[in-house]
Amino acid sequence: MSLPVVIDTSPDPERADPERQRGPSIAAWIRSMGPSRTGALLLVAGTLLAIVWANASHETYETFWDTRLTIGVADLNLDFTLHALVNDALMAVFFFTVGLEVRREFSIGELTSWSRGVVPVVAALCGLLVPSLLYVLIARGSGWESAWGVVISTDTAFLVGGLALVGPKAAGRLRIFLLALAVVDDIGALSIIALVYTENFNPQPLLVAAVGLTGIWFTRYVPTGRGPIYATLAIIVWFAFLASGVHPTLAGVAVALLVPVYRPSRRDVEHALALARTFRQSPTTQYARAAANSLRESISINERLQSAYAPYVSFVILPVFAVANAGVQISRDVLVEAATSPVTWGIVVALVAGKFLGVFGSTTLVRVLKLGELGAGLTTGRVAGGAALCGVGFTLSLFIVDLAISDPSVQNQARVGVLLASVLAFGIAALIFRATEHSPREMEIGQVLQRPVDPARDHIYGPVDAPLTLVEYGDFQCGFCLKTAGTIQEVVQELGGRLRYVWRHAPLLHYHPNAVAAAEASEAAAMQGKFFEFERSLFIDQDHQQPADILRRAEQLGLDLERFERDLTSASVAARVRDDMLDAEAMDITAVPTLFVNGRRHTAPHDAASLIAALTSDRSPFRAEESHGQG
C-alpha cells in the first residue's frame, strides 16, 4: 500500500492556524434538514395565542374551530370542521414529511445498521408501555383507569419544535433518534386509538388503503409522470383511513415510508449535465425545460418532497396546528378539582416520569446489554434531555381525552394534567440540556474523539495496533487538507510502525459542492481495497472531481467499473460518509483539517515537528479506543 499522498510540503504560514477553512457547512447541513428556530418560535407563539384566546373568549374560540366546511358534488360530499381539517388533513402532511425523513435515515442514513435502528424502536415501545402502567397504578379506584391511552403518545410537532428551541447546538443525531422514536410512537398510539377507543372502526376501507399503498410501491417503476400517480394514490389512501375510523394522519406516515429514496446515479447526473450544456449553447424554452426536468428526476422523490414541503410545514402547518389544539380553558374551579384528582396526577406522572423512564431506561438497557448502539455524540445527557422532551404529549393526548372520558368535569381535569405535564416535560428537558451541555464531561465532547478507532470500519494506514494514533477529519477538495497530507507523510515516515493514521470525512458543502461525491467515491474504492490510492488521486487533482473524472480515476486504478458504479449509489456508502459527518457535527468540527492526536483534539500548528512532538510526548494511557464515544 502506498503512502496517503505525495505533494508539496513547503512551509505555509496559514497551516499554523487551527481554524483553517471555516464554515458552518456541516452543522448547517444537518440542522437545515429540520424546522428552523424561527418555525419553533412560531409554534410556541401559536400555543400561547390559543391559550389566551380560549380563556379570554372561549365561545369564539370554539365557534371558530367548529365552523363547518362542506365540499362535494351532488350526493358525494365531505363535511369537516376547521379543527378536523387541521388535525386530519394538514397534520397528515406534517406526518408525511416526518415519515420521509425517517425513511431516508433507515434507507441511506444514520439508521441503516440494525444496531442503531433498533434503539429508537425499543425506546418508543417502552415509552408507550411504562406511562400506561404508571397511569393505571395512580388512577386506580377513580373509575377512569381505562383512560390510560391519554398518556401513550408523544407530540411529534412539539417534540421537534422543542428540540429546536432548547436542544443542544449539535443536535443532528439526537433529532434523527427522536424522529424515528416519534414515528414508531405515533404508529403505536394511532393503532391503539383505532383498536381501543374507536367505536365505529371499520376494517373494510383498510383493504382499499392496502391496494393504494401497494400501488404507491409499484409506482417507482413507472418511467415518467409519477408525481400525479403518487398524489392520486395518496389521496385515496387518506380517504380510506378516514373512512375506517383510523386517524388519517397515519396515512401520511404509511405513504411516506413507501416513497423511494436513493442516491443519484452517474448516468442520470451525466444526462442532466449534458442537457445543461446544451441549454447553455442553445438557450431555448425546450432545452430549459428538458434540463430542469432531468435535474429534478436525478434526485429521489423523497428528497424532492422533503425540500418542497419543509417551509410550509414549519411556517404554516405547525403554527396553525398549535392555535387549533392548544386552546385549553383554565379556570379556578377546574384547577382546584384537578389538584386532588387522581386522573390529573396520573397523567402528569405518567407523561413526565413514565415517558422519561421508558425512553431513557430502555435506551440505557439496550446499550448496556449491547443489543444496540447510538452514534457518536449521543451522550447520556443528550439522550436524557430528549427522553424528558418525549413527555410533551399534547395533541393526541387531548384527542384521546374526549374519546376515553365521558364526564365533562373529569375531561377538564385530564386536560389540565396534559397541559401541566407538557409544560413540566419541556422545562425539565431544557434544564437537563442546559446542565449537561455545560458540564465538564459534555464540554469535553469537542476535545475528545467521540467514536473509537475501529479497525473493521476505519481507513487505517499503518499497523492497526500501533501505540500512536493520528485521526484526521478532512475534505478532499480542501487546499489545507492537501498541504496537511504532505505533513502527515513526513510524520508517517518519521514514526514508521509506531503510528497508525486514520482518515474520516468532514466535507464542507458550502465551499466544496463536489466534496461529498468525492468522499462517496473513495468509499466505493475502499470496497475494492483501494481507499488510500483513490485518496491520493483525489488530492493530486482537486479541480477535477466531476462524475466523469471520478470514473476515469477508478479505471486508472484498475477498479471493477461496474461494481464501482453500483457501490457509488449504494446505501452503505452514503451512510458511511454521512456517519462521519454526523460525528464531525457532534464534535463541533467546522474547520478542516481537524486532527486528533492519541484521541485528543490537536490545536497546535500542523507542521510535522509539532505533530511528532504531540504524538510522542503524550504517553498517557488515554488512547482513541478509550475515548468517551458512548458516554
Side-chain angles (χ1 to χ4, degrees):
M1 179 183 293
S2 62
L3 290 176
V5 69
V6 179
I7 46 93
D8 173 32
T9 60
S10 57
D12 188 325
E14 293 179 284
R15 191 185 303 166
D17 178 11
E19 302 297 315
R20 282 118 351 246
Q21 191 151 346
R22 176 168 291 279
S25 56
I26 295 173
W29 176 69
I30 300 296
R31 287 193 293 270
S32 68
M33 293 171 60
S36 65
R37 184 174 292 268
T38 302
L41 289 173
L42 287 174
L43 183 64
V44 173
T47 302
L48 295 176
L49 173 62
I51 293 173
V52 171
W53 182 5
N55 286 276
S57 180
H58 187 70
E59 184 177 347
T60 61
Y61 180 86
E62 291 289 333
T63 300
F64 178 79
W65 292 111
D66 284 339
T67 301
R68 306 198 74 82
L69 300 174
T70 302
I71 304 172
V73 178
D75 294 332
L76 297 175
N77 58 73
L78 289 173
D79 189 12
F80 280 102
T81 63
L82 281 179
H83 185 266
L85 184 66
V86 171
N87 281 17
D88 294 348
L90 291 185
M91 287 307 289
V93 177
F94 167 73
F95 281 107
F96 175 70
T97 59
V98 171
L100 287 174
E101 188 167 349
V102 172
R103 167 82 162 98
R104 185 186 190 283
E105 295 304 325
F106 274 104
S107 296
I108 60 174
E110 168 77 353
L111 304 175
T112 51
S113 69
W114 184 90
S115 61
R116 289 191 183 177
V118 71
V119 182
V121 173
V122 171
L125 295 176
C126 292
L128 292 169
L129 179 62
V130 175
S132 304
L133 295 176
L134 275 179
Y135 172 82
V136 171
L137 287 173
I138 296 173
R140 186 173 52 187
S142 67
W144 297 105
E145 295 88 343
S146 60
W148 55 268
V150 174
V151 300
I152 59 177
S153 178
T154 292
D155 193 303
T156 306
F158 280 93
L159 176 70
V160 174
L163 184 63
L165 285 176
V166 301
K169 181 176 67 173
R173 275 208 168 95
L174 179 58
R175 184 177 187 277
I176 292 168
F177 172 79
L178 292 178
L179 270 180
L181 183 157
V183 166
V184 177
D185 177 281
D186 285 324
I187 291 173
L190 293 172
S191 300
I192 289 171
I193 291 174
L195 297 175
V196 179
Y197 295 109
T198 300
E199 295 180 359
N200 299 319
F201 174 62
N202 181 6
Q204 292 182 350
L206 293 180
L207 297 176
V208 177
V211 173
L213 292 171
T214 302
I216 289 173
W217 171 265
F218 283 106
T219 299
R220 68 187 65 196
Y221 300 110
V222 176
T224 59
R226 293 185 295 271
I229 299 175
Y230 277 124
T232 302
L233 291 175
I235 292 171
I236 291 173
V237 171
W238 184 85
F239 275 116
F241 272 82
L242 182 68
S244 72
V246 177
H247 203 282
T249 52
L250 190 57
V253 177
V255 170
L257 295 179
L258 295 176
V259 172
V261 57
Y262 51 82
R263 302 293 301 159
S265 71
R266 180 192 66 84
R267 289 180 177 83
D268 290 340
V269 173
E270 291 284 10
H271 182 61
L273 289 173
L275 286 173
R277 285 193 293 267
T278 302
F279 171 72
R280 184 176 60 184
Q281 296 166 359
S282 179
T284 65
T285 304
Q286 179 182 357
Y287 286 133
R289 187 184 305 113
N293 288 339
S294 182
L295 285 169
R296 184 175 61 253
E297 290 296 322
S298 68
I299 305 298
S300 73
I301 189 170
N302 177 292
E303 295 182 89
R304 298 204 306 270
L305 289 172
Q306 280 192 61
S307 61
Y309 283 112
Y312 300 102
V313 169
S314 296
F315 303 127
V316 179
I317 292 177
L318 292 184
V320 170
F321 152 81
V323 176
N325 288 277
V328 178
Q329 190 176 22
I330 302 172
S331 66
R332 183 177 179 279
D333 292 340
V334 171
L335 292 177
V336 169
E337 292 178 356
T340 57
S341 169
V343 172
T344 301
W345 290 110
I347 291 172
V348 172
V349 173
L351 282 174
V352 177
K355 279 290 182 181
F356 180 84
L357 291 173
V359 173
F360 182 72
S362 62
T363 300
T364 303
L365 187 62
V366 166
R367 292 169 65 184
V368 169
L369 297 177
K370 300 188 183 302
L371 300 175
E373 66 175 69
L374 295 175
L378 264 181
T379 60
T380 300
R382 290 177 182 176
V383 174
L389 203 55
C390 288
V392 179
F394 207 79
T395 309
L396 281 181
S397 293
L398 293 176
F399 178 74
I400 297 175
V401 163
D402 292 330
L403 298 177
I405 301 174
S406 57
D407 188 325
S409 176
V410 180
Q411 285 181 347
N412 287 331
Q413 297 167 21
R415 292 188 185 106
V416 170
V418 171
L419 184 61
L420 178 59
S422 298
V423 172
L424 287 174
F426 185 85
I428 291 170
L431 290 175
I432 292 175
F433 283 132
R434 176 175 287 273
T436 56
E437 288 301 302
H438 292 87
S439 68
R441 185 173 178 79
E442 296 290 328
M443 295 289 285
E444 186 81 347
I445 286 178
Q447 303 305 314
V448 174
L449 189 67
Q450 290 298 296
R451 176 161 50 80
V453 174
D454 181 2
R457 178 199 184 280
D458 278 308
H459 304 299
I460 301 175
Y461 183 85
V464 296
D465 58 350
L468 306 176
T469 300
L470 179 63
V471 177
E472 176 180 2
Y473 279 86
D475 178 327
F476 289 128
Q477 283 195 291
C478 168
F480 295 100
C481 294
L482 173 65
K483 294 175 181 178
T484 299
T487 301
I488 290 172
Q489 177 191 338
E490 294 181 37
V491 176
V492 168
Q493 290 175 336
E494 176 68 24
L495 296 178
R498 291 189 294 159
L499 175 70
R500 60 176 180 176
Y501 163 73
V502 180
W503 169 277
R504 290 177 180 173
H505 305 286
L508 298 176
L509 302 184
H510 282 59
Y511 292 94
H512 307 136
N514 296 323
V516 171
E520 291 175 349
S522 72
E523 291 298 331
M527 290 186 170
Q528 299 186 45
K530 294 285 184 75
F531 175 81
F532 284 110
E533 291 84 347
F534 205 91
E535 177 203 47
R536 173 176 177 167
S537 70
L538 288 169
F539 272 137
I540 287 175
D541 189 7
Q542 290 185 314
D543 293 330
H544 297 91
Q545 296 188 8
Q546 296 294 328
D549 303 316
I550 294 295
L551 286 177
R552 174 175 50 80
R553 289 191 177 91
E555 186 175 17
Q556 290 171 349
L557 290 172
L559 299 178
D560 181 336
L561 286 183
E562 183 177 344
R563 178 185 173 187
F564 181 78
E565 287 193 66
R566 186 170 61 250
D567 290 338
L568 267 179
T569 58
S570 69
S572 59
V573 162
R576 171 64 182 272
V577 173
R578 193 158 181 269
D579 194 35
D580 281 357
M581 295 176 71
L582 286 164
D583 287 351
E585 188 238 13
M587 294 183 290
D588 196 27
I589 293 175
T590 58
V592 292
T594 292
L595 303 178
F596 288 83
V597 171
N598 295 331
R600 185 165 290 277
R601 194 165 185 156
H602 182 73
T603 56
H606 285 190
D607 60 279
S610 297
L611 286 174
I612 292 170
L615 283 161
T616 55
S617 65
D618 181 8
R619 297 193 180 277
S620 69
F622 185 90
R623 293 282 303 280
E625 297 89 341
E626 298 165 355
S627 66
H628 302 296
Q630 302 297 328

